[in-house]
Amino acid sequence: MKILYVSGHPHLRTDAPSGYATHMRETMRALRCRGVEVVPWIVGDQRATPAEGSREAKPGGSRGVLRRVVPGALWQGMRDASLMRHDRAAEAPLVEAIERERPDVVYERGSYLFSAGVRAAHRTGVPLVVEINAPYVEERTALHGRGMLDGYGDRWERTVLQGAALVVTVSTVLGSYLRERGGLDASSVRVLPNAVDPELFHPGVPTCRPELGIADDAFVIGYVGSFIAWHRLDVLVRATALLRRAGVPAVALLVGDGPTRAELLELAADLGVGDHVVAPGAVPFERVPGHVQSADVCAIPDHAWYCSPIKLFEYGGLRKAVVAKESAPILEVVEDGRDCLLFPGSPEGLAAALRALHDDPRRRAALADSLHARVCEQHTWSASARRLVDWLSDLRGRGA
């Protein structure tokens, strides 16, 4: 089988220090390991633009000044108009790529306002699978506010959902949302949670504690990912402060970067735990396992309601006990009290769960062992690729 793997967003690159890039790389790698010929058509990798989620992608210079003076709705409308122009320009080269490569299936990682994949697939008669990992219209509004072209975004979403032969998404709750938004039947949407590479994230990875300057007797709470508002890292910083007041030698190890980094470090200083929050910044992906290995327990303070956090599976691959905010996507893949501890979302709730695991190393180990076994059995990229290949095989020869 041959697929054309499409990512049409101009700023999504496979080398970005974010979960989306991990997902793109690992999906393609795992499909190749399953014998699928994967031809990438990734616009972000073809352009010399900063990757989404990188420091370079932050507004600066004249663009930053313009962003501050232009009214929010107008600014978002301008951004949307730019993406719409990009979408129109992408159709012809994508059709050319499909006709040149002659894939059995076009597999597109969906992105906001990109519908060239639907049009190109229909023009060439090749079935299109669209992977949608977020409610993109809602997500754009939550991140950037409303824009002048929001109505177009709703129409775009329906066009993509109804134009795909199959929609693949990361959680049942998001799948239900997309079915309702697109008026789709249940068979048109498949759920495939995120996963991990167990050859990279495994319990034998050496720790980075010495280079991070973390004491051997510290109780380290690890986090790896983006520093964005909905990840609620403030909850973890506040929980760290509560633990230290209770006599627990807690240290928060926050690996990653993002727009809330500065305010989080300021919060830590205000709470008197500035010296007990270690934030090394974004690290190369191959060094992430060693940083996570430095933790005694790992945390997921919060995440978007639809998200399947890659970090959960990476923590499990390294056999780490996990405390996570209770959510439907997490409950899809773990059992509370057996594979991890779930908490309701407050700093006090997180601190209580962490304190329980600090005080009971045996329970901590049992949770870690159970999550590790579940992840390695059900949630590797290889296992995900096996399911995906079955779905793609069913589409071969069907046409768009």
Side-chain angles (χ1 to χ4, degrees), residues 8 52 66 76 118 135 152 166 213 233 235 283 302 312-313 357 369:
E52 186 89 357
L66 185 64
Q76 296 311 326
V118 170
Y152 181 84
L166 182 68
L233 290 176
V235 170
V283 301
D302 206 348
L312 172 65
F313 306 102
L357 295 185
D369 288 344

Side-chain angles (χ1 to χ4, degrees), residues 41 60 81-82 150 164 194 213 254 282 299 378:
W41 194 86
S82 176
D150 285 358
N194 278 319
L254 311 181
Q378 301 178 20

Side-chain angles (χ1 to χ4, degrees), residues 4 6-8 106-111 114 116-118 128-131:
L4 187 71
V6 172
S7 172
V106 174
Y107 186 93
E108 177 190 333
R109 182 184 173 92
S111 58
F114 188 80
V118 170
L128 172 70
V129 176
V130 179
E131 173 196 296

Side-chain angles (χ1 to χ4, degrees), residues 20-100:
Y20 77 79
T22 300
H23 192 284
M24 292 165 68
R25 291 192 307 267
E26 293 299 324
T27 296
M28 288 188 285
R29 183 189 63 81
L31 285 171
R32 288 178 177 126
C33 289
R34 289 279 166 190
V36 177
E37 182 181 355
V38 180
V39 179
W41 194 86
I42 299 171
V43 173
D45 286 352
Q46 301 167 9
R47 296 162 58 98
T49 54
E52 186 89 357
S54 69
R55 285 181 180 270
E56 294 79 7
K58 299 175 183 177
S62 60
R63 184 172 182 271
V65 172
L66 185 64
R67 172 66 184 91
R68 290 190 291 271
V69 300
V70 172
L74 177 57
W75 175 260
Q76 296 311 326
M78 293 165 59
R79 284 168 55 102
D80 288 355
S82 176
L83 289 173
M84 291 162 63
R85 289 192 298 271
H86 164 75
D87 174 60
R88 288 193 295 270
E91 182 177 349
L94 181 51
V95 167
E96 180 182 344
I98 295 172
E99 292 177 340
R100 179 180 66 250

Side-chain angles (χ1 to χ4, degrees), residues 333-371:
V333 296
V334 301
E335 181 181 338
D336 184 22
R338 178 187 176 94
D339 305 312
C340 67
L341 289 187
L342 303 184
F343 76 103
S346 67
E348 294 78 10
L350 177 55
L354 291 169
R355 177 66 185 269
L357 295 185
H358 169 268
D359 293 347
D360 190 346
R362 179 175 290 182
R363 187 183 186 194
R364 194 164 76 223
L367 288 170
D369 288 344
S370 182
L371 180 61

Side-chain angles (χ1 to χ4, degrees), residues 94-308:
L94 181 51
V95 167
E96 180 182 344
I98 295 172
E99 292 177 340
R100 179 180 66 250
E101 299 296 341
R102 301 172 63 85
D104 297 297
V105 177
V106 174
Y107 186 93
E108 177 190 333
R109 182 184 173 92
S111 58
Y112 179 61
L113 296 185
F114 188 80
S115 56
V118 170
R119 300 191 302 275
H122 285 196
R123 283 178 58 182
T124 56
V126 177
L128 172 70
V129 176
V130 179
E131 173 196 296
I132 298 183
N133 296 305
Y136 293 125
V137 176
E138 178 181 312
E139 182 185 60
R140 196 295 306 263
T141 302
L143 282 172
H144 305 296
R146 299 197 66 83
M148 298 179 67
L149 301 176
D150 285 358
Y152 181 84
D154 292 332
R155 293 193 296 275
W156 159 82
E157 185 176 54
R158 287 191 294 272
T159 296
V160 171
L161 290 171
Q162 295 173 1
L166 182 68
V167 174
V168 176
T169 192
V170 291
S171 67
T172 298
V173 65
L174 180 56
S176 298
Y177 172 93
L178 295 173
R179 282 196 297 272
E180 181 178 346
R181 295 279 289 185
L184 307 177
D185 60 48
S187 64
S188 298
V189 180
R190 304 289 175 86
V191 175
L192 192 63
N194 278 319
V196 69
D197 176 4
E199 295 183 3
L200 183 60
F201 290 84
H202 61 86
V205 172
T207 179
C208 290
R209 275 202 191 201
E211 70 178 79
L212 293 170
I214 298 175
D216 290 340
D217 62 349
F219 179 65
V220 180
I221 308 148
Y223 168 88
V224 59
S226 300
F227 288 38
I228 52 180
W230 63 49
H231 286 169
R232 294 302 309 274
L233 290 176
D234 60 301
V235 170
L236 178 51
V237 171
R238 293 183 187 278
T240 301
L242 291 171
L243 288 169
R244 292 202 67 87
R245 288 177 202 151
V248 176
V251 171
L253 172 59
L254 311 181
V255 182
D257 199 3
T260 65
R261 176 185 170 87
E263 62 188 72
L264 285 168
L265 296 180
E266 183 177 348
L267 174 63
D270 291 344
L271 294 173
V273 293
D275 292 338
H276 307 292
V277 172
V278 179
V283 301
F285 183 66
E286 63 271 14
R287 299 199 65 219
V288 168
H291 283 71
V292 177
Q293 188 71 296
S294 305
D296 295 290
V297 175
C298 290
I300 303 176
D302 206 348
H303 62 90
W305 61 266
Y306 51 83
C307 179
S308 170

